[in-house]
Amino acid sequence: MASKDDLYSKVTPRRQRLSRPSGLKQGASTLDVLLSMGFPKTRALKALVSTGSRNVQAACDWLFSHVNDPFLDDPLPREYVLYLRPSGPLLHQLTRYWQQSRLTCGKNKAHNIFPHITLCQFFMCEDGKMEALAEALQTTVAAWRGRFPAPLGLQLYTSSNFIGLFVDDQVAEVLKSFAADFATEAASKADVHIEPHKKQLHVTLAYHFQANHLPVLEKLAKGMDVSVGCDWLAVMFSRDIRFANHETLQVMYPYMPQNEDELELVPGDFVFMSAGEQTSASEGWVYGSSLGTGLSGLLPENYVTRADECETWVVHGSHSFHNGALLPDPGGLVDGMLFDGQLLDGLGDLAGLSVLTPPMQLLRSSGEQSSLPKRSLFVCRHGERMDVVFGKHWVTQCFDGKGRYVRCNLNMPPSLPNRSGGYRDYDKDCPITVFGGTQARLVGEALLESHTAVNFVYCSPSLRCVQTAQNILQGLQLEGKTKIRVEPGLFEWTKWVSGTSLPVWIPPAELAAANLNVDTTYRPHIPISKLVVSESYDTYISRSFQVTREILAECQNLGDTVLIVAHASSLEACTRQMQGLSPQNSKDFVQVVRKIPYLGFCACEELGETGVWQLVDPPILPLTHGPNHSFNWREMLLQD
């Protein structure tokens, strides 16, 4: 077996084009090329199967990324499945239903896999027999050209927890005959056992959804015209058997390991997580395995987002029943992952297409590529707060008997605004630290560097939020140009306020007098008088949704960007219902809020002028920071 040094020497840098090794004939197979480069056959086969036999470059990239994969030499087979996938006008109808149902009712189980008809159960095939399996599918489809029923009769069916399109019984029997022929051909050519699908054939539209969503989902389904044209394609997919029952996550932000047991994260890569492997993970961390490298380790939970399992599947042939061409995936997409559809460098016919192997780039859907200006909403948590860093008694430590402020740490601000009600009001309305201001300016500078315009700034009445907004505007070089609109309706859940009264906030006029760039003419949508102590969770969620809608209605010009600077809870409370999603229960809500750091930042875009918004990648990188304990040189350095 080749050593790691030999392996590295055989693989060219990722973005370079591989040339044909000398001595190979023009008609040499992709496998022959890899073997001539010194790769062991088992590894070469695994790389080809894992990339859909796309080309030599893709296989080499996969091998390069998986050099340290502990399962690289394990002969585990992959799991395969055969689907019928729609194309043409029917695909557009189904895609629109997918999008509308997800926006109005949130994600349900049907969204985990693209629209399809299942023709067989998942089955296993050894890597060395994959080529024969693909040939079996191609042979079966060729034998069925001219015999395949068109169009397929589809009937809408709904129940309390399922909505789908069922294939007419007579047509379904024909499709099952095709699946049986494929199973026979696969057994003959590849020695693979396949169980054809025995249940009623159907396209699932929605299932495992909330009961109150049934009327909306059913209405959307009835609005589809399922009689429109469609060329059904026989498409074979495979998945890594090790992760068949794992949750699939996608990496949003890069992360470099700080400890040996941590996993490096590359944006666009996928991570597989099993509930049974989380015993070693601490709060805010999960244990997972990378699709891109095969390595496993701990990773920060807020660096990944939930994804659909099918986004990691590989395509091994997509065949039309009406012509002899091997086709790309319908629409060129499997849940957002593009196929390259290129010819092998003279090494064979058009390659089977597959998802791109990591390092991958996050690819935006066609809707995100529009050049039309969109309204954007940014929601940001405030910066590091004084009472968390220095304890709730910081006020008594920093103010003398005459109410004069003197800082006792470099991370405390040099001065603080005067308060007409006295310095004790700082107990419930603390400022940010010096580092908190630095954090906020970094965010503003990043927005400036990304050429992101901010047209309106709204913030909670809490001083820490006003100061954070001020520092963001400094970083954006908008201080003095854009005014901060102080909106009491953006204050956090009042149940979290200690005592029997709300904080006494500094009025806008006094904030302006303290050189904070506040709009003293702004009239709040929800005045302070409307806030109540210990409000219910439902009241807080409704308040946040109401004030966000009214703010966006106030700033309704196409292309405008609104920045809300408020609390950790605001990132969830101000955006979830704007996406057409139902509020989470209070327990899950609290778990989300606990994981949002200082200057946590999220972004939403409006879908056209529909009033429906979707979360998108923020224009700036995340800001990570850690705790720093107090240092006293006398105690530390003068010990006996």
Side-chain angles (χ1 to χ4, degrees):
M1 181 179 298
S3 67
K4 287 184 180 179
D5 290 339
D6 292 337
L7 189 59
Y8 275 111
S9 68
K10 298 293 184 183
V11 182
T12 64
R14 181 171 307 280
R15 296 304 172 194
Q16 290 184 5
R17 185 85 171 164
L18 287 174
S19 59
R20 181 188 308 279
S22 59
L24 274 184
K25 297 180 180 179
Q26 183 70 22
S29 69
T30 313
L31 177 60
D32 290 336
V33 175
L34 293 173
L35 295 178
S36 71
M37 297 170 68
F39 292 114
K41 186 173 182 179
T42 54
R43 292 190 179 187
L45 286 170
K46 189 179 288 288
L48 289 173
V49 172
S50 299
T51 58
S53 300
R54 188 149 41 96
N55 53 36
V56 175
Q57 181 73 60
C60 287
D61 285 349
W62 189 93
L63 286 165
F64 183 86
S65 298
H66 286 259
V67 167
N68 296 313
D69 185 343
F71 290 91
L72 182 60
D73 297 308
D74 196 310
L76 278 176
R78 289 177 70 86
E79 278 193 322
Y80 293 80
V81 70
L82 180 63
Y83 286 162
L84 281 183
R85 292 207 58 191
S87 65
L90 180 58
L91 176 61
H92 297 314
Q93 293 268 345
L94 292 169
T95 301
R96 184 160 56 248
Y97 178 86
W98 244 246
Q99 294 171 341
Q100 290 176 333
S101 62
R102 196 163 188 165
L103 287 170
T104 54
C105 299
K107 182 179 178 181
N108 63 67
K109 287 288 187 178
H111 290 114
N112 287 329
I113 305 179
F114 39 77
H116 68 280
I117 297 174
T118 303
L119 292 181
C120 69
Q121 307 298 324
F122 272 94
F123 61 92
M124 290 183 288
C125 177
E126 298 174 14
D127 292 344
K129 296 178 179 180
M130 171 56 230
E131 189 174 345
L133 180 64
E135 183 182 340
L137 176 59
Q138 191 168 3
T139 300
T140 308
V141 171
W144 271 79
R145 287 200 177 96
R147 300 165 51 197
F148 194 83
L152 299 186
L154 298 173
Q155 299 294 327
L156 178 64
Y157 171 83
T158 64
S159 68
S160 60
N161 62 1
F162 175 87
I163 300 176
L165 300 172
F166 279 81
V167 181
D168 291 345
D169 290 343
Q170 289 185 342
V171 175
E173 291 305 314
V174 177
L175 299 185
K176 290 179 180 179
S177 296
F178 164 76
D181 285 356
F182 168 63
T184 301
E185 194 73 22
S188 173
K189 280 186 165 61
D191 192 24
V192 170
H193 177 68
I194 298 175
E195 285 286 339
H197 196 62
K198 295 179 180 179
K199 297 180 180 179
Q200 283 186 288
L201 300 186
H202 63 276
V203 178
T204 301
L205 297 180
Y207 76 103
H208 282 201
F209 47 81
Q210 296 180 25
N212 62 321
H213 290 160
L214 176 60
V216 176
L217 293 171
E218 188 174 17
K219 181 179 179 180
L220 290 172
K222 289 180 177 178
M224 290 193 303
D225 181 6
V226 297
S227 65
V228 295
C230 177
D231 180 9
W232 290 91
L233 309 175
V235 189
M236 187 162 59
F237 297 89
S238 75
R239 66 184 182 186
D240 192 321
I241 192 174
R242 294 175 293 161
F243 308 121
N245 297 312
H246 287 50
E247 182 176 358
T248 305
L249 308 171
Q250 188 167 24
V251 178
M252 297 184 295
Y253 311 115
Y255 178 76
M256 290 300 297
Q258 308 297 311
N259 299 290
E260 290 184 359
D261 60 351
E262 293 175 4
L263 182 67
E264 180 180 356
L265 300 182
V266 176
D269 190 8
F270 291 90
V271 173
F272 300 103
M273 184 183 74
S274 170
E277 296 175 333
Q278 303 311 309
T279 54
S280 61
S282 57
E283 184 65 36
W285 291 73
V286 296
Y287 187 88
S289 302
S290 164
L291 172 68
T293 64
L295 300 176
S296 303
L298 294 169
L299 59 133
E301 188 175 7
N302 59 349
Y303 278 50
V304 294
T305 186
R306 295 181 187 276
D308 299 331
E309 179 194 355
C310 63
E311 294 186 51
T312 66
W313 292 358
V314 176
V315 181
H316 298 277
S318 180
H319 302 271
S320 168
F321 289 91
H322 300 297
N323 58 61
L326 181 68
L327 299 175
D329 186 63
L333 294 165
V334 170
D335 263 21
M337 299 304 294
L338 293 176
F339 300 137
D340 69 358
Q342 293 181 344
L343 290 170
L344 295 176
D345 299 325
L347 302 178
D349 296 329
L350 189 64
L353 303 171
S354 70
V355 293
L356 299 174
T357 51
M360 291 178 279
Q361 296 179 348
L362 287 173
L363 302 175
R364 297 186 178 273
S365 66
S366 58
E368 293 177 299
Q369 295 170 348
S370 171
S371 59
L372 294 175
K374 295 184 179 181
R375 288 204 298 162
S376 297
L377 169 66
F378 300 151
V379 185
C380 181
R381 187 190 178 189
H382 58 76
E384 181 181 81
R385 50 191 288 177
M386 283 274 281
D387 55 354
V388 171
V389 177
F390 299 106
K392 62 182 180 180
H393 300 297
W394 74 271
V395 175
T396 58
Q397 297 170 355
C398 293
F399 286 90
D400 61 20
K402 295 182 179 181
R404 292 175 298 193
Y405 169 75
V406 179
R407 70 172 177 174
C408 51
N409 189 284
L410 288 177
N411 196 25
M412 293 179 172
S415 62
L416 291 177
N418 291 323
R419 307 188 78 126
S420 56
Y423 70 89
R424 296 303 311 192
D425 286 344
Y426 277 116
D427 282 330
K428 287 188 175 182
D429 186 31
C430 70
I432 58 175
T433 63
V434 174
F435 286 166
T438 302
Q439 291 170 328
R441 284 192 296 277
L442 284 172
V443 167
E445 290 168 0
L447 289 169
L448 181 65
E449 290 172 2
S450 67
H451 305 290
T452 301
V454 173
N455 306 102
F456 302 96
V457 178
Y458 291 78
C459 78
S460 160
S462 296
L463 179 60
R464 57 188 181 273
C465 298
V466 179
Q467 291 177 320
T468 300
Q470 176 87 1
N471 280 277
I472 291 176
L473 287 174
Q474 286 181 5
L476 274 165
Q477 298 180 11
L478 291 176
E479 190 179 20
K481 300 176 183 178
T482 301
K483 295 284 187 180
I484 301 168
R485 298 175 175 179
V486 179
E487 175 54 63
L490 292 171
F491 184 60
E492 64 185 349
W493 188 6
T494 61
K495 179 183 176 180
W496 291 334
V497 176
S498 61
T500 58
S501 62
L502 294 174
V504 178
W505 293 297
I506 302 176
E510 293 184 24
L511 291 171
N515 295 319
L516 290 164
N517 198 36
V518 169
D519 184 352
T520 57
T521 65
Y522 173 70
R523 297 187 62 180
H525 293 279
I526 299 179
I528 294 174
S529 60
K530 296 294 184 180
L531 299 181
V532 296
V533 180
S534 297
E535 66 188 338
S536 68
Y537 172 67
D538 290 341
T539 299
Y540 167 64
I541 292 298
S542 298
R543 164 166 65 86
S544 300
F545 182 36
Q546 174 192 339
V547 74
T548 305
R549 282 190 303 176
E550 293 180 3
I551 285 172
L552 292 172
E554 191 172 52
C555 312
Q556 59 185 350
N557 291 331
L558 201 63
D560 281 348
T561 297
V562 175
L563 169 64
I564 289 177
V565 181
H567 307 271
S569 56
S570 305
L571 275 74
E572 170 77 6
C574 292
T575 64
R576 185 171 180 84
Q577 288 177 275
M578 295 303 299
Q579 301 171 70
L581 303 177
S582 300
Q584 299 194 77
N585 61 55
S586 58
K587 182 178 179 181
D588 291 340
F589 171 78
V590 171
Q591 291 302 314
V592 170
V593 171
R594 288 176 62 239
K595 298 172 184 177
I596 297 175
Y598 293 127
L599 271 299
F601 192 101
C602 70
C604 290
E605 283 183 354
E606 186 181 20
L607 297 174
E609 297 182 67
T610 62
V612 178
W613 296 68
Q614 64 177 354
L615 284 173
V616 297
D617 291 329
I620 61 174
L621 295 173
L623 176 65
T624 304
H625 55 85
N628 183 38
H629 298 291
S630 176
F631 172 68
N632 186 313
W633 68 271
R634 292 181 184 275
E635 294 178 2
M636 298 287 185
L637 305 180
L638 291 183
Q639 298 180 10
D640 294 333

